[in-house]
Amino acid sequence: MIEQDSARYHRLQLWLSLTRLALSAVYLAALAFAGGGAALAAFAARLTASAPAHVAIVASAIGAGHTLLGLPLAWVSSWVLPRRYGLLHQPLSGWLADRAKAAVLGAAIGLAGVEVIYALLRVTPLWWLAASAVAFAFSIAMTAVVPIWILPMFFRLTPLADATLGARLLALAERAGVRAIGVWIADQSRKSRTANAAVVGLGRTRRILLYDTLAAGFRPEEIEAVLAHELGHHVHGDVRRGLAVQGVLGVVTFWLADQALRAGVGRLGYGDVADPAGLPWLALVLAVLGLVVTPLVNAFSRRIEREADDFALRLTRDPNGFIAAMERLATLNLAERRPHPLKEALLFSHPALDRRIARARAVA
C-alpha cells in the first residue's frame, strides 16, 4: 500500500512539475516574442529615467505574472497533495506564512541578481564572467549563513536536550574528522512527518542539525547512520566540489546566455544587450540552459551521494543500522523506491532508495 501511494504521489508530482515547466516556457516565450518585454520596458521608461529602476519594474512585473500563473499548480503540489498523502499536517496559516517568507526571500535574491546582471551588462562585454564570479561568491556566503539567518526563518532551532545522544553524535563527527559546534533540533514535527539530518554551515558556523522527527522516532544507531552519510560529504569536500562544479557550469551558462542575448538584439524588440526589454528572452534562455545541465548535475550528485553512503557504512560499521534508517526514511518521506531508470538518470539527485539499500546489504 505504501509503495502504491508513493508511486501515485510521485507520478502526480511529476505531471504537475512538467505542467509548470511548460507554462513557464510558454509565458516567457510569449513575452519575448510577442513584444511583452518591450512594452514593459517602455512603461518603465515613462515612469523613471533610472536604469536600475527600469530593470526593477520589468523584473517585478515578469516575476509577479509568473507567480500568479503558477499559483494554482503550486497550491496543489505543495499543499493539496502532501496533505492528501499524509506528508503535511501544518495548519494553513503556518503554511501560508512559510510560503510568504520563501517568496519574499526568493524575490529579493532574484531581483538583486537581475540588477547585478544588468549593471554588469551596462559596463562590460565580459559581464558573463563577472556574473559567474558574483554567483560563485554568493553561493559560498549562503552556505555559511544558512544556519544563522535562513533556517531560523522557517524552524525553531534549539540545542539537543538529550545529552547522551548529543555526545554520541559529536563523538561520531570527531571520529570522522569533522568539527561541529553542537547539535541542534529543528521542529519539523510542527509541519510534517518527514525526517532528515544535515551538517550545515562552514567553519565556525558548522553544526549538526536533526529534525525532531528523526531524533524522537529513530534508534540512536539509525540516527548515527543518517548523520554519518552527511559527515561523509564534509570529509570528501563535497561542498567545495559542488561549488566548483557550479562555478564551471555558471561560466558556461552565462557565456551561452550572452551569445543568445546578443543574437536577439533588434530581432526581439530590444536595442542592446543592456535593454531590460530583453529580460524575458534572457530568463527563457537561462531556464532552458538550467534544464539542459540538470541531468549532468544530478549525475554528479548521485556519485557523491554513493560515496557518502560508502563512507557512512565504513564509519559506523553497522550496515544493518543504515538499512533500518533507510527503510524508516522511505516510509516517513514516502520515497520513490524504484523509479524508472530514465527518470532516475534525469531527475534524481540521489541514487534510488532500493539501490542504496542493496549496496548496504552487499556490505552486510
Side-chain angles (χ1 to χ4, degrees), residues 3-163:
E3 289 194 31
Q4 291 176 350
D5 286 346
S6 172
R8 193 178 304 113
Y9 174 78
H10 288 283
R11 184 168 59 252
L12 291 170
Q13 288 287 16
L14 177 61
W15 280 111
L16 285 169
S17 296
L18 292 174
T19 304
R20 291 173 69 180
L21 186 65
L23 281 175
S24 296
V26 170
Y27 170 71
L28 292 174
L31 287 175
F33 293 106
L40 288 172
F43 172 72
R46 290 195 296 269
L47 295 180
T48 176
S50 167
H54 290 173
V55 173
I57 292 170
V58 174
S60 298
I62 293 172
H66 185 266
T67 299
L68 289 174
L69 182 66
L71 199 57
L73 293 173
W75 165 261
V76 175
S77 66
S78 301
W79 171 263
V80 175
L81 284 182
R83 288 187 71 85
R84 178 181 297 174
Y85 285 89
L87 290 173
L88 182 71
H89 52 249
Q90 186 180 23
L92 179 60
S93 58
W95 182 84
L96 289 173
D98 278 351
R99 297 287 296 187
K101 286 184 285 189
V104 170
L105 183 63
I109 293 173
L111 181 58
V114 172
E115 289 285 9
V116 168
I117 286 174
Y118 273 86
L120 293 170
L121 279 165
R122 290 193 293 270
V123 299
T124 176
L126 295 177
W127 71 271
W128 53 273
L129 189 58
S132 303
V134 171
F136 184 75
F138 176 76
S139 297
I140 295 174
M142 285 297 290
T143 303
V145 305
V146 158
I148 301 173
W149 293 341
I150 307 301
L151 288 177
M153 294 174 60
F154 300 94
F155 297 99
R156 286 193 291 266
L157 303 180
T158 56
L160 177 63
D162 187 338

Side-chain angles (χ1 to χ4, degrees), residues 16-343:
L16 285 169
S17 296
L18 292 174
T19 304
R20 291 173 69 180
L21 186 65
L23 281 175
S24 296
V26 170
Y27 170 71
L28 292 174
L31 287 175
F33 293 106
L40 288 172
F43 172 72
R46 290 195 296 269
L47 295 180
T48 176
S50 167
H54 290 173
V55 173
I57 292 170
V58 174
S60 298
I62 293 172
H66 185 266
T67 299
L68 289 174
L69 182 66
L71 199 57
L73 293 173
W75 165 261
V76 175
S77 66
S78 301
W79 171 263
V80 175
L81 284 182
R83 288 187 71 85
R84 178 181 297 174
Y85 285 89
L87 290 173
L88 182 71
H89 52 249
Q90 186 180 23
L92 179 60
S93 58
W95 182 84
L96 289 173
D98 278 351
R99 297 287 296 187
K101 286 184 285 189
V104 170
L105 183 63
I109 293 173
L111 181 58
V114 172
E115 289 285 9
V116 168
I117 286 174
Y118 273 86
L120 293 170
L121 279 165
R122 290 193 293 270
V123 299
T124 176
L126 295 177
W127 71 271
W128 53 273
L129 189 58
S132 303
V134 171
F136 184 75
F138 176 76
S139 297
I140 295 174
M142 285 297 290
T143 303
V145 305
V146 158
I148 301 173
W149 293 341
I150 307 301
L151 288 177
M153 294 174 60
F154 300 94
F155 297 99
R156 286 193 291 266
L157 303 180
T158 56
L160 177 63
D162 187 338
T164 302
L165 178 60
R168 183 169 177 168
L169 298 180
L170 288 173
L172 183 71
E174 190 71 24
R175 289 211 320 267
V178 177
R179 290 187 176 274
I181 64 173
V183 183
W184 266 256
I185 294 289
D187 59 338
Q188 175 71 353
S189 62
R190 185 168 50 92
K191 307 177 183 183
S192 171
R193 76 185 195 194
T194 57
N196 209 345
V199 181
V200 296
L202 293 174
R204 294 183 180 180
T205 70
R206 185 185 292 129
R207 63 200 66 191
I208 296 167
L209 182 68
L210 307 178
Y211 280 2
D212 58 354
T213 46
L214 183 79
F218 284 57
R219 297 193 302 271
E221 59 270 24
E222 295 169 348
I223 298 173
E224 279 190 325
V226 177
L227 177 60
H229 170 94
E230 300 301 326
L231 292 170
H233 287 307
H234 285 259
V235 171
H236 297 154
D238 289 342
V239 174
R240 292 190 299 274
R241 288 200 287 172
L243 287 171
V245 169
Q246 181 179 327
V248 171
L249 290 176
V251 171
V252 175
T253 297
F254 279 121
W255 179 79
L256 291 172
D258 176 65
Q259 303 306 302
L261 196 58
R262 295 184 186 283
V265 171
R267 298 184 180 130
L268 298 177
Y270 57 95
D272 58 64
V273 293
D275 185 348
L279 182 54
W281 173 237
L282 177 61
L284 178 62
V285 169
L286 288 174
V288 170
L289 291 173
L291 189 63
V292 169
V293 303
T294 293
L296 299 176
V297 173
N298 283 340
F300 171 76
S301 178
R302 287 193 301 274
R303 175 185 170 184
I304 64 175
E305 294 297 339
R306 282 193 297 269
E307 293 172 353
D309 280 353
D310 293 344
F311 176 86
L313 292 167
R314 291 194 304 270
L315 181 64
T316 61
R317 300 178 182 177
D318 183 10
N320 291 324
F322 181 92
I323 293 168
M326 292 298 106
E327 292 283 1
R328 196 171 297 207
L329 286 172
T331 300
L332 286 178
N333 299 346
L334 204 61
E336 191 172 9
R337 301 180 64 118
R338 289 183 292 274
H340 189 281
L342 181 60
K343 182 179 181 181

